[in-house]
């Protein structure tokens, strides 16, 4: 399996622009997670889906952030409009329904820089 | 105050040293404890998984949980340069159903040859 795939790997944009991050989870995994990682706050869960349905979006910082999962093999995280404080590494992770170790499989991340 | 506290480091040690990485937490409902390893420019990957208090050993790695003190540790014996990475602790409650993981901010470890 190719693992969790994220695109783009790097994104540089200007304040006010729309940013769309993409994720393809591991086939057969029921859970999909979006995280944000910064030096100050560490790894924060933004939102997670179960069987394509958003379950908990309490970590989404504000209305400028939205996430969708139109099917089991694709999810997007959108920021509109983007701000410099959104600069961070965004990770997508997936997990099977049953696991003995709570393992979440992370993608390589998208490094977002908002100027 | 954060639910999970972790010293960001960096922690620099010579090759062959014993490394101790630690996290403290405030939520007494946490029952499952994990350590993830994250290499530079990569996503985290699960390294160790333990339930409740006690020790678990896997090769050069030992995870230790002290629930009475709300303190968990990861020990690395005979550290290698390839162990240089950021180590994140993670934990969740034992409630039924899916529970979110709460991560520490990570400790950066540098092992010099």
């Amino acid at each position: 399996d190719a693992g969790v795939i994220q695109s783009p790997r790097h994104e540089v944009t200007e304040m006010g622009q729309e940013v769309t991050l993409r994720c393809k989870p591991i086939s057969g995994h029921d859970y999909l997670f979006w995280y944000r990682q910064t030096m100050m706050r560490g790894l924060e869960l933004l939102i997670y889906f179960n069987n394509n349905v958003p379950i908990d979006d309490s970590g989404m910082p504000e209305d400028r952030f939205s996430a969708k999962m139109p099917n089991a093999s694709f999810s997007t995280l959108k920021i509109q409009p983007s701000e410099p404080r959104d600069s961070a590494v965004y990770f997508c992770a997936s997990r099977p329904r049953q696991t003995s170790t709570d393992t979440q499989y992370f993608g390589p991340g998208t490094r977002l820089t908002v100027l | 105050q954060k639910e999970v506290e972790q010293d960001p480091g960096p922690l620099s040690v010579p090759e062959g040293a014993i490394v101790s990485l630690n996290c403290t937490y405030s939520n007494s409902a946490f029952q499952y404890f994990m350590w993830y390893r994250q290499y530079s420019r990569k996503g985290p990957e699960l390294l160790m998984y333990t339930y409740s208090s006690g020790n678990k050993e896997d090769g050069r790695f030992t995870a230790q949980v002290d629930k009475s003190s709300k303190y968990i540790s990861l020990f690395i014996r005979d550290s290698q340069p390839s162990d240089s990475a950021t180590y994140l602790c993670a934990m969740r409650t034992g409630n039924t159903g899916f529970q979110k993981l709460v991560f520490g901010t990570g400790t950066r470890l540098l092992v010099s040859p």
Side-chain angles (χ1 to χ4, degrees), chain A residues 43-78:
Chain A
L43 197 61
E44 302 174 284
L45 178 64
L46 301 177
I47 185 172
Y48 79 90
F49 296 81
N50 183 15
N51 291 323
N52 314 338
V53 177
I55 303 300
D56 185 345
D57 65 355
S58 60
M60 297 284 260
E62 43 197 281
D63 292 345
R64 298 184 296 106
F65 286 70
S66 63
K68 294 182 179 179
M69 191 165 186
N71 57 63
S73 59
F74 184 66
S75 177
T76 59
L77 178 68
K78 186 175 294 186

Side-chain angles (χ1 to χ4, degrees), chain A residues 9-10 31 33 35 37-43 45 48 56 58-59 91 95 100-109 111, chain B residues 2 8 32-34 36 38 40-46 48-49 56 86 88 92 97-106:
Chain A
R9 293 295 309 276
H10 302 273
Y31 289 91
F33 310 86
Y35 289 90
Q37 187 175 41
T38 61
M39 290 290 291
M40 289 299 296
R41 301 174 68 91
L43 197 61
L45 178 64
Y48 79 90
D56 185 345
S58 60
F91 287 101
R95 202 204 85 164
S100 60
T101 59
D102 282 312
T103 305
Q104 294 185 17
Y105 297 85
F106 285 79
R111 185 172 296 270
Chain B
K2 294 179 181 177
Y32 296 85
F33 304 91
M34 287 135 270
Y36 277 76
Q38 184 177 17
S40 180
R41 307 284 177 166
K42 302 287 187 182
E45 56 180 351
L46 183 67
M48 297 286 283
Y49 177 86
K56 182 175 182 179
T86 297
L88 300 94
R92 69 168 178 89
F98 178 80
Q99 297 298 322
K100 297 184 290 187
L101 297 182
V102 180
F103 284 86
T105 52

